[in-house]
Structures are given as C-alpha cells and as structure tokens.
Amino acid sequence: MRADPRPAPPARSSASPARLWFADNLRILLTSLVVLHHVAIMYSGMPLWYYTEPPTSVAAGVGLSIFLLVNQAWFMGAFFLLSGYFAPGSYDRKGPGAFLRDRLIRLGIPLVVFYFVLSPLLHAGSYPDGSPLAAYLDTIGSGPLWFVLALLVFDVCYAAVRLAGARRRPRERAVRPPALPMVIAFVAVLALGTYALRIVLPAGTWVPVVDFPTIAYLPQYVSFFVAGTVAYRRGWFHAVTPRIGWAGFGLAAGASLVFLPLALAGGLEAWMGHGTLSSLFFALWDSAFAVGAVLALLALFRSRLDGQGPLGRYLSAHAFTVYVIHAFVVTAAGLAFGALAWPTSAKFALVAAVTLPACFALAGPIRRLPGVRRVL
C-alpha cells in the first residue's frame, strides 16, 4: 500500500504534540458504543448487568445478541489501541515518575471508588442473604471499569519496559503506513494467540477479584495496546489513508463472509473456545474483523472527521467521565422504564435515546465538582 500523497507531518515533538482531532472523535464514538452495549445487555436476557429484562421476542433477543457480538469483537480493542498510542508521548513529556503518578490518579482513584463504593450501591436491593459484611464483599467489583484496571496495568508495564531500556532512546521512524503483509501477519498471530487462550480460558470465564469479564479477548487488548505504542513512534495515525481504510473494510467484510459462517456452523462452542475447529474460525473472524474495522474507522475519521466544534470539544472532554458514570445512568433508566410494557426493540431504542445524551449532560456538572476535574 502506498503512503498518503499529502506531505507528511513534522516529527512529533514531546514539547508540543499535535492534537489528533479524529482520534478524539473516534473515542467519542467508542464511549457511546460502550453505553449502548450495556443498554443492549440489559434487554438481551443475559444476566450480566445490574438490572435486566428478558426480551419480548426471539427476534429481539437475537438482534441484540448480534449487536453485542459484533461490538465485542473490536470496540474495546480500539480503546486499547488509542490508549497505547498516547502513552509514549505522555511518558516522554512527564518522565516515569509523573507519568505513573498521573495514571494512578486518573485511573486508580475512579477504579477504587467504583470497586469499593459504587459497585455495592449498584447492587442495592439484590444483596444475598447473610451477614452485611458477606453481602458487601459479594458486591464489590470493578464492573465496567475493568477496562480502567487493565489499562492501569498496561501503563505500569509500559513504564517498566521504558525504564528497563532507559539508556536507549526510542527511535523515531519515517512516517509511513503499515505494509499489508505486516497487517496480515498481525491478524494471523493474534488469531492463533486468541484460539490458544480460549482452550484454557473459554469465553465467559470470569476472573475473580479483578472482575475481568472478557478474558477471552486478552490477546487482542494486549496486542492492540502494544500496536498503539508502535503506531506513535512510526507515525501510523498520521499516515493512514482512504486506501488503507478500504483495505481494512475489505478485510473485515471478507472475514465476515468466509470465517464467520464457518464458525457459527459449530454453534455456541465457536464463541466459547475449547480448541474446536469452529473456535479457530471464530478467532480468525474476530481478529480480522477487529483489525479491519479499526483501520477503516481510522481512515474514515482522519479524512472526514478531523476537526471539532464546541459540541465535539465538550463530548471529547467528558468522554472518560461518561465511561465512569454510565453504569448508574443505564441502570437508573432501566428501572425507571421497567413498568413500560413495550416490545424489547422499541424499549431498547427509547432507553438508548434517553441514556446516551443524559450521560454526557451529567458529565459536565460532575466534572465541575471541587477536585473532580483533576481525576475525571
């Protein structure tokens, strides 16, 4: 694939890094999908949220399950890619001490508050029988902030790697996009790693204490974060072109046409793992789909959405706050509309239309509270 014919941007400066508006806009989309994902879980019939309702029809349940399956295949990996991309520049500007201190404040404080305070509150009314202490211990957890916990671990590991190689200055390379053979090799290695992990830890395995709900996607999360750090050094976000975007779209579409039907022929085992042939096809699908979807969206957002007005700046500034608070808003909306006897599809649409803007609207006043902006 050829590089973008437009002039390459100047070398990245640790003093004044260029603002990537399209990356901010992509983060807004990903945050919105997280909110919609959990609204869909609430009405899918899966017992995976603080409040749930069974779907009113098989078609509605299947539709929400497909939405969840496609989302899960790529969107959290995209979050880790963006997080990995911005880690090297932050480390370069602040140094190891300030970098880790900032991560502990920005990620550690919301995680601890949610784990020990907010999670038990979300479980209020559903405490198990027994002593209050046992009930409390049973309801603590990271919930949707498992991402924050994983990101904190990844950032600490990144700082450790940088410290171990402190004498070697990271090399800046010419700005050019990743070659197609490199992309294909990345997909193949990711798919094999995912397939192997799901033999030992099938999808649906819940990791206690850390409260990790999607351990089966750990290879994607780690590899995308690492790919983000490499992308920063090699300028890949600056070099992504519409041609690369179309190649990514073709990769995602081709995998969906070839690997997904082969995987689904094996039934639920394909998603779960256990070393079956269908689970290999499923790992090939979600790995190729994730890489292709991210490449396509990076190209689309860079070419069409590389700027922000006042609304975009507000949404971008409050995206992380939305991630932290959305569990309360989604659950409250579910309870508020619980008595509404609507078909599941209509109810999902209504609650989604109410919840998503409510999350962003509430994020502003919350960030204006004393001391909160330093964290959120």
Side-chain angles (χ1 to χ4, degrees), residues 9-376:
R12 293 167 298 287
S13 167
S14 61
S16 55
R19 186 80 180 193
L20 298 183
W21 298 111
F22 74 91
D24 283 346
N25 291 330
L26 180 55
R27 187 185 289 111
I28 295 169
L29 171 65
L30 295 173
T31 303
S32 300
L33 283 175
V34 167
V35 177
L36 298 178
H37 190 86
H38 290 138
V39 174
I41 289 177
M42 188 165 63
Y43 293 114
S44 68
M46 301 178 187
L48 301 174
W49 194 248
Y50 305 99
Y51 169 80
T52 60
E53 292 183 18
T56 55
S57 68
V58 173
V62 170
L64 290 176
S65 296
I66 292 173
F67 173 73
L68 294 170
L69 181 74
V70 174
N71 258 2
Q72 192 63 65
W74 72 277
F75 77 140
M76 296 310 298
F79 258 127
F80 283 111
L81 179 77
L82 293 179
S83 300
Y85 182 88
F86 290 106
S90 178
Y91 185 98
D92 291 346
R93 292 191 303 274
K94 299 174 182 177
F99 173 79
L100 290 173
R101 184 167 57 252
D102 177 73
R103 296 293 82 193
L104 287 172
I105 292 173
R106 295 272 296 170
L107 301 177
I109 292 177
L111 176 63
V112 169
V113 172
F114 192 98
Y115 199 97
F116 293 105
V117 179
L118 303 184
S119 179
L121 289 176
L122 280 166
H123 284 97
S126 60
Y127 291 115
D129 295 333
S131 69
L133 178 59
Y136 173 76
L137 293 176
D138 194 60
T139 56
I140 61 174
S142 59
L145 266 69
W146 66 263
F147 165 73
V148 175
L149 173 59
L151 183 56
L152 181 58
V153 172
F154 292 175
D155 281 333
V156 171
C157 291
Y158 175 78
V161 171
R162 288 289 301 272
L163 284 170
R167 296 182 180 179
R168 294 176 301 190
R169 180 181 178 85
R171 291 187 299 166
E172 302 287 354
R173 305 201 179 193
V175 176
R176 60 170 61 94
L180 181 59
M182 182 186 300
V183 173
I184 299 301
F186 180 84
V187 170
V189 172
L190 173 58
L192 291 175
T194 301
Y195 170 73
L197 178 69
R198 289 174 183 172
I199 296 174
V200 182
L201 296 172
T205 301
W206 195 277
V207 179
V209 182
V210 296
D211 214 20
F212 204 135
T214 54
I215 191 68
Y217 288 89
L218 184 61
Q220 181 188 117
Y221 302 155
V222 174
S223 61
F224 273 50
F225 181 86
V226 173
T229 64
V230 175
Y232 177 82
R233 296 297 176 195
R234 300 191 178 186
W236 286 346
F237 279 21
H238 293 281
V240 66
T241 65
R243 184 177 180 181
I244 294 174
W246 282 112
F249 177 81
L251 178 63
S256 298
L257 292 173
V258 175
F259 295 127
L260 188 57
L262 292 172
L264 295 181
L268 184 61
E269 286 293 313
W271 172 73
M272 295 187 68
H274 299 298
T276 63
L277 181 60
S278 60
S279 72
L280 175 60
F281 288 132
F282 193 87
L284 285 166
W285 171 72
D286 64 16
S287 298
F289 185 86
V291 173
V294 169
L295 287 175
L297 285 171
L298 284 173
L300 174 65
F301 275 64
R302 181 173 184 251
S303 62
R304 300 297 179 88
L305 296 167
D306 194 16
Q308 287 183 343
L311 177 60
R313 288 193 292 272
Y314 175 90
L315 297 178
S316 179
H318 295 81
F320 181 62
T321 306
V322 168
Y323 194 102
V324 173
I325 69 170
H326 81 276
F328 274 89
V329 181
V330 169
T331 305
L335 291 169
F337 291 103
L340 189 63
W342 281 18
T344 292
S345 298
K347 204 168 186 180
F348 167 75
L350 172 64
V351 173
V354 170
T355 300
L356 188 56
C359 286
F360 280 99
L362 288 171
I366 289 174
R367 288 189 77 224
R368 288 194 290 271
L369 294 173
V372 172
R373 186 180 290 269
R374 176 70 179 91
V375 177
L376 301 178

